[in-house]
Amino acid sequence: KFCRGFYRIAKQCLFLVILAILLLSCRKSDQETPPFPNVILIYTDDIGYGDVGAYGGLIPTPNIDRLAKEGLLMENAYATSATCTPSRYAMLTGEYAWRAQGRGVAPGDASALIRKGRETWPAIMQRAGYRTAVIGKWHLGLGGDDGPEWNGEISHGPLDIGFDYAFIIPSTGDRVPTVYVENKHVLNLDLKDPIEVNYQNKVGDRPTGKDHPELLKMMWSHGHNHTIVNGISRIGYMAGGESALWRDEDFADIFVEKSISFIEEEEEIPFFLFLATHDIHVPRMPHERFQGKSGYGYRGDAILQLDWTVGEILRVLDKNEFTENTIVVFTSDNGPVLDDGYEDLAEKLTGDHKPWANLSGGKYSAFEAGTKIPMMVRWPKNIQPGSISPALFSQIDFMGSFAGYLAQSYNQNQAVDTRDSWEVLIGRDKEGMEGLVQEAIQGVLGYVSQDGYKFIPAHQGPEFVPWGTGIKTGFSQEDQLFYLPDDQSESENLAKNKPEIVTALKRKLEEIVRN
Ligand code: NG6
Ligand code: CA
């Protein structure tokens, strides 16, 4: 009897010991590998398909290229629009921007385009347990119907739509107000010197680029001749806010510093960082240490600075041993442009470097270079290093893909266009989407189909972008059909020879538009 009792107790003890070991080992592995990967989206501004080394660019970008070497390079990835605001809008909401009016390039005092209660990609990440941040260029408007309250609490900002932390430039580097916003307030603002912004009439007594070009460190070429701040004239007029003004040369340093603090802030919870660089948008005014270093003018120097930014982020991931389980996506909001309003010699000095690679058009354009952009995805834990994928992918699908992977449901009545393309993102599906819509200026919508055909509907519009960029719009009075695998530069219109394909693609496009 004694023996039996002893045996039973011993068995119970053994069971408890095994249970304890199991529990402990579970906890340990939980700590070692967070359940979900960290996610960093490096969203560059106006970087073209041919602008980085991995895509054939001549300006050295070893850090950006490292993402391709250690991850997946996508050959057929697209932004949704050929300009910034609509691309960002669509990517964050999962709804193509052209579904409503008023989502084109936003002025610097625009009201928020994405309001509280709206389903968004960062909100999905938040619900999945991520801490989230946006650092860099916003350009999606701020504030309610009356616009942003620069001198008080700024409502309807990133914090209202899924970001825990925001450190942003409100619109673009070339638009006033030239101040940072941290969370809901203008950084370093002295309320005794309030900010006033006006996009119609001059306010305050700061000189303008139009009247005082002699004060400029970089001359404007088209537009951009209103209030001068930091020796650069901008779009729009601004008074006050002297203590809050930025120095363009410091953008990259400051965004990197803020990003590193966010990444290193808390180890246990996975993070989602939307790092929206100012580079390489105009005004291109990189830090002094990059100026003159590329031999391609400030545009090239800004690419060096961008590469440095990426290098710093990768270095911090390595240092914290986050590399293995962090997804880093590198991509761009629209295609390239040389002269976008300042005389920074981009055109003169570009030489053999071709920002658009073999594509036609550029930023603003219906031709491929408008929206076809470089995109790399690195995730050592799950993506084969050095992979290359020809799959068709649009940034509209980021949101649905992450929702799918993280098993989060979302409001599909709002996010009507995003789909789960997760297998494409991690390089397993090499075919990709059935088709995607590209938005050019003047609301022109093109359609690219998985089989390589591209359709641009007839449009009465100019051959070149109307404001001096030298970029072809891709518009024609007639329907256009191109077969991209044989004709990347869209030079041979097949519409007359293949009317049945034109009809089919037109129908696809109309179906999506009606959705
Ligand atoms: C254009 C600006 C251009 C740039 C662009 C927005 C002029 C003449 N041109 O209107 O410089 O700011 O808007 O670029 O003002 S984006 O990448 O943010 O969409
Ligand atoms: Ca842009």
Side-chain angles (χ1 to χ4, degrees):
K1 195 169 172 195
F2 170 79
C3 269
R4 226 183 301 138
F6 178 78
Y7 182 62
R8 207 180 56 227
I9 289 170
K11 225 165 74 181
Q12 277 169 356
C13 283
L14 190 68
F15 174 74
L16 284 175
V17 167
I18 290 173
L19 194 71
I21 289 173
L22 273 177
L23 279 174
L24 274 175
S25 67
C26 271
R27 256 198 63 212
K28 193 155 170 272
S29 72
D30 268 1
Q31 277 167 357
E32 273 171 2
T33 39
F36 291 133
N38 302 310
V39 180
I40 301 181
L41 170 68
I42 303 175
Y43 206 55
T44 66
D45 204 344
D46 301 359
I47 279 283
Y49 192 68
D51 260 328
V52 300
Y55 285 79
L58 297 183
I59 297 155
T61 53
N63 293 299
I64 298 170
D65 302 348
R66 187 182 155 195
L67 293 171
K69 237 180 265 156
E70 298 176 4
L72 167 72
L73 179 145
M74 304 198 54
E75 295 176 323
N76 290 302
Y78 291 81
T80 60
S81 304
T83 52
C84 168
T85 303
S87 281
R88 284 158 210 257
Y89 177 90
M91 184 175 69
L92 293 185
T93 63
E95 179 205 19
Y96 280 124
W98 43 259
R99 292 203 180 278
Q101 294 285 310
R103 294 170 181 163
V105 174
D109 60 352
S111 307
L113 288 175
I114 312 174
R115 302 286 174 96
K116 212 181 211 134
R118 186 57 205 243
E119 187 66 276
T120 65
W121 178 16
I124 289 172
M125 303 304 279
Q126 254 180 357
R127 293 203 298 273
Y130 280 73
R131 55 194 186 89
T132 59
V134 53
I135 294 170
K137 170 173 168 176
W138 184 239
H139 209 188
L140 287 163
L142 291 166
D145 292 343
D146 298 332
E149 178 43 84
W150 303 116
N151 302 300
E153 185 175 292
I154 299 169
S155 62
H156 299 285
L159 266 50
D160 298 295
I161 60 159
F163 290 105
D164 299 321
Y165 176 70
F167 189 96
I168 55 174
I169 62 176
S171 61
T172 57
D174 58 354
R175 286 172 175 76
V176 297
T178 51
V179 295
Y180 298 109
V181 170
E182 187 170 34
N183 294 326
K184 297 193 170 199
H185 292 92
V186 170
L187 187 73
N188 296 331
L189 178 65
D190 175 0
L191 286 177
K192 291 198 282 300
D193 178 28
I195 292 173
E196 193 184 343
V197 167
N198 196 309
Y199 272 74
Q200 268 72 50
N201 304 305
K202 186 170 187 289
V203 290
D205 44 20
R206 286 198 182 101
T208 64
K210 187 156 181 258
D211 297 337
H212 289 281
E214 76 285 359
L215 298 176
L216 298 172
K217 58 183 171 196
M218 188 163 61
M219 184 60 187
W220 48 274
S221 59
H222 45 267
H224 304 95
N225 57 12
H226 302 152
T227 301
I228 300 175
V229 177
N230 186 31
I232 301 167
S233 51
R234 318 277 167 165
I235 308 174
Y237 302 96
M238 172 186 177
E242 191 68 29
S243 58
L245 299 178
W246 70 45
R247 212 181 74 96
D248 306 68
E249 292 85 340
D250 299 331
F251 280 153
D253 284 352
I254 291 182
F255 296 152
V256 162
E257 182 196 313
K258 298 289 168 191
S259 297
I260 294 176
S261 314
F262 174 72
I263 291 170
E264 293 189 329
E265 186 178 281
E266 153 81 89
E267 281 200 8
E268 303 302 319
I269 305 170
F271 62 80
F272 172 52
L273 169 61
F274 173 30
L275 170 53
T277 69
H278 164 75
D279 287 321
I280 58 165
H281 197 275
V282 297
R284 302 172 187 123
M285 188 52 65
H287 191 271
E288 287 81 352
R289 70 184 183 279
F290 295 107
Q291 291 180 11
K293 292 289 152 63
S294 68
Y296 292 87
Y298 280 1
R299 187 177 187 278
D301 301 341
I303 291 178
L304 294 184
Q305 178 167 273
L306 175 67
D307 188 65
W308 171 82
T309 296
V310 173
E312 284 303 287
I313 299 298
L314 300 187
R315 187 183 59 77
V316 165
L317 294 180
D318 289 342
K319 188 184 117 199
N320 288 284
E321 297 181 11
F322 288 160
T323 301
E324 179 72 7
N325 200 24
T326 297
I327 299 176
V328 179
V329 179
F330 173 96
T331 189
S332 178
D333 67 339
N334 54 249
V337 53
L338 294 171
D339 179 351
D340 206 14
Y342 292 97
E343 288 182 2
D344 58 10
L345 301 179
E347 230 156 27
K348 193 163 166 242
L349 298 177
T350 198
D352 291 335
H353 172 77
K354 289 209 190 87
W356 42 81
N358 300 324
L359 312 175
S360 289
K363 181 175 179 176
Y364 310 112
S365 173
F367 280 144
E368 288 289 278
T371 51
K372 188 169 189 170
I373 35 70
M375 180 167 149
M376 288 162 266
V377 189
R378 187 189 76 170
W379 186 15
K381 200 172 169 187
N382 275 304
I383 296 177
Q384 192 69 24
S387 331
I388 297 179
S389 171
L392 193 63
F393 179 80
S394 164
Q395 292 168 2
I396 192 77
D397 275 3
F398 276 133
M399 181 168 162
S401 303
F402 276 90
Y405 171 66
L406 298 169
Q408 293 294 314
S409 58
Y410 61 94
N411 186 338
Q412 301 194 0
N413 295 324
Q414 292 183 352
V416 291
D417 295 304
T418 191
R419 302 278 179 276
D420 184 349
S421 292
W422 183 254
E423 298 288 312
V424 179
L425 266 184
I426 61 171
R428 287 199 198 129
D429 173 347
K430 296 266 163 75
E431 291 183 334
M433 306 169 73
E434 185 197 344
L436 55 82
V437 181
Q438 307 170 307
E439 180 188 12
I441 51 165
Q442 303 189 356
V444 174
L445 303 182
Y447 181 84
V448 179
S449 146
Q450 196 190 71
D451 61 15
Y453 282 101
K454 159 153 175 191
F455 168 65
I456 308 174
H459 174 73
Q460 306 276 345
E463 190 187 350
F464 286 90
V465 175
W467 52 90
T469 58
I471 288 175
K472 278 194 170 162
T473 56
F475 299 161
S476 163
Q477 319 260 8
E478 290 170 12
D479 283 348
Q480 299 177 85
L481 179 75
F482 302 105
Y483 184 61
L484 301 175
D486 291 347
D487 180 23
Q488 278 199 30
S489 62
E490 294 162 280
S491 49
E492 198 192 348
N493 183 2
L494 305 172
K496 291 231 164 70
N497 304 341
K498 298 187 185 289
E500 66 299 338
I501 300 184
V502 172
T503 311
L505 297 196
K506 202 181 249 178
R507 194 170 303 142
K508 290 264 178 228
L509 179 60
E510 281 165 5
E511 266 169 30
I512 296 178
V513 171
R514 266 202 315 269
N515 178 9

